[in-house]
Amino acid sequence: MNATLHWRCLRAVIVREGLRFVHQRERFFAALVRPLVWLAIFAVGFRAVLGLSIIPPYETYILYEDYVTPGLVAMIQLFNGMQSSLSMVYDREMGSMKTLLVSPLPRWYLLVCKLLASVLVSIAQVYVFLAIAWFWGVQPPELGYLAVLPALVLSGLMLGALGLLLSSFIRQLENFAGVMNFVIFPMFFASSALYPLWRIREGSPTLAWIAGINPFTQAVELIRFALYLQFNGAAFLAVTACLALFLGGAILAYDPGRGFWARRGGPAEQG
């Protein structure tokens, strides 16, 4: 009976997130517009000015479009993770999250259900983008589309958990946009998503060091290697560690006995 209750909760959260995604078609197109702009416009300009040496996992010289595609895949997951966290703030403010959090199921399980639902949505967006990129000439090995799936799940969980952690500190919906910009753009641009780390190091060793410890860089490299049928052990360990850290922090923050809501008076006290 307990397992049945847990399954019903997971299914309900996934269905709710899926229906929200289906009914908010602009969210789907917005998630694709950003990476497609980079692929179709910026990549053309950078191709002429940014030389790429042969670096793992690539065995030959590649076009800039091929290099940037894994970074754009991770960008989709980053934006989706933050968008899902925005919905958490909205649900909490409008009252539906209060109802969910006072259910007999443990809070950590509810947060994990929300996180899994968000990751499934982001993976659907990623594969649509990869299909469009294939027609654009970005054609990794066919098996890479399957091999990259575990990397997408792990990186999506990590980036979504970061969003959950941030959402635990946001009390009002209108404040979340500023926090998103403060997190998203530094993480994206100070990473290996757009430029190789060796190229960044030539311009600024300090920035290269920051990009090297950036969790988003590790997610990008995990996806990049998996897409080309290779395993990046260092990136895997880094992403797994960040997932444990961010998710653990989010679970503690949403715990009314120990976390942020206990100090500020959250849904459990307001209900």
Side-chain angles (χ1 to χ4, degrees):
M1 187 65 178
N2 192 38
T4 302
L5 182 61
H6 281 72
W7 165 245
R8 287 179 178 176
C9 176
L10 175 60
R11 184 178 61 183
V13 173
I14 291 177
V15 169
R16 183 175 185 272
E17 192 70 17
L19 289 175
R20 172 182 285 174
F21 178 71
V22 169
H23 292 304
Q24 296 176 349
R25 294 182 179 86
E26 65 278 2
R27 177 180 168 186
F28 173 77
F29 291 108
L32 294 179
V33 165
R34 286 182 292 263
L36 287 176
V37 166
W38 275 99
L39 187 64
I41 300 177
F42 288 94
V44 174
F46 281 121
R47 183 199 302 172
V49 300
L50 184 63
L52 297 175
S53 62
I54 301 177
I55 56 175
Y58 308 108
E59 298 178 353
T60 61
Y61 288 102
I62 58 170
L63 295 176
Y64 182 71
E65 291 92 326
D66 295 280
Y67 176 83
V68 79
T69 294
L72 299 180
V73 165
M75 181 176 72
I76 293 175
Q77 294 196 302
L78 176 63
F79 274 87
N80 185 80
M82 295 300 160
Q83 187 73 25
S84 177
S85 301
L86 175 62
S87 71
M88 281 282 289
V89 177
Y90 177 83
D91 289 344
R92 199 176 63 212
E93 193 170 298
M94 296 297 105
S96 59
M97 195 60 191
K98 290 184 183 181
T99 304
L100 191 61
L101 291 176
V102 298
S103 70
L105 292 170
R107 288 180 178 235
W108 68 264
Y109 182 76
L110 298 174
L111 293 177
V112 170
C113 288
K114 175 70 174 177
L115 188 56
L116 288 173
S118 171
V119 171
L120 290 177
V121 169
S122 72
I123 289 177
Q125 294 172 325
V126 164
Y127 275 105
V128 172
F129 170 72
L130 288 175
I132 297 175
W134 189 88
F135 287 102
W136 200 262
V138 179
Q139 300 176 353
E142 293 181 1
L143 286 177
Y145 292 101
L146 181 60
V148 77
L149 181 58
L152 292 176
V153 172
L154 187 60
S155 60
L157 288 173
M158 187 268 286
L159 296 172
L162 174 60
L164 282 179
L165 179 60
L166 292 175
S167 72
S168 67
F169 296 98
I170 306 300
R171 296 296 305 277
Q172 295 179 336
L173 188 63
E174 57 269 20
N175 295 335
F176 197 74
V179 175
M180 286 177 62
N181 292 332
F182 182 76
V183 173
I184 288 177
F185 291 107
M187 287 190 71
F188 178 65
F189 288 107
S191 73
S192 63
L194 302 178
Y195 335 96
L197 288 180
W198 68 266
R199 175 65 75 178
I200 301 176
R201 192 173 296 110
E202 289 181 351
S204 172
T206 301
L207 182 59
W209 178 81
I210 294 173
I213 63 173
N214 183 354
F216 187 71
T217 293
Q218 306 305 322
V220 170
E221 294 307 308
L222 183 66
I223 294 171
R224 188 189 311 281
F225 276 71
L227 195 58
Y228 286 85
L229 303 176
Q230 296 186 38
F231 178 70
N232 189 323
F236 172 79
L237 292 176
V239 172
T240 303
C242 288
L243 168 60
L245 178 64
F246 296 151
L247 184 57
I251 291 172
L252 288 177
Y254 273 96
D255 185 339
R258 291 177 292 179
F260 178 72
W261 289 106
R263 299 191 299 272
R264 297 292 297 273
E269 297 178 13
Q270 294 171 3

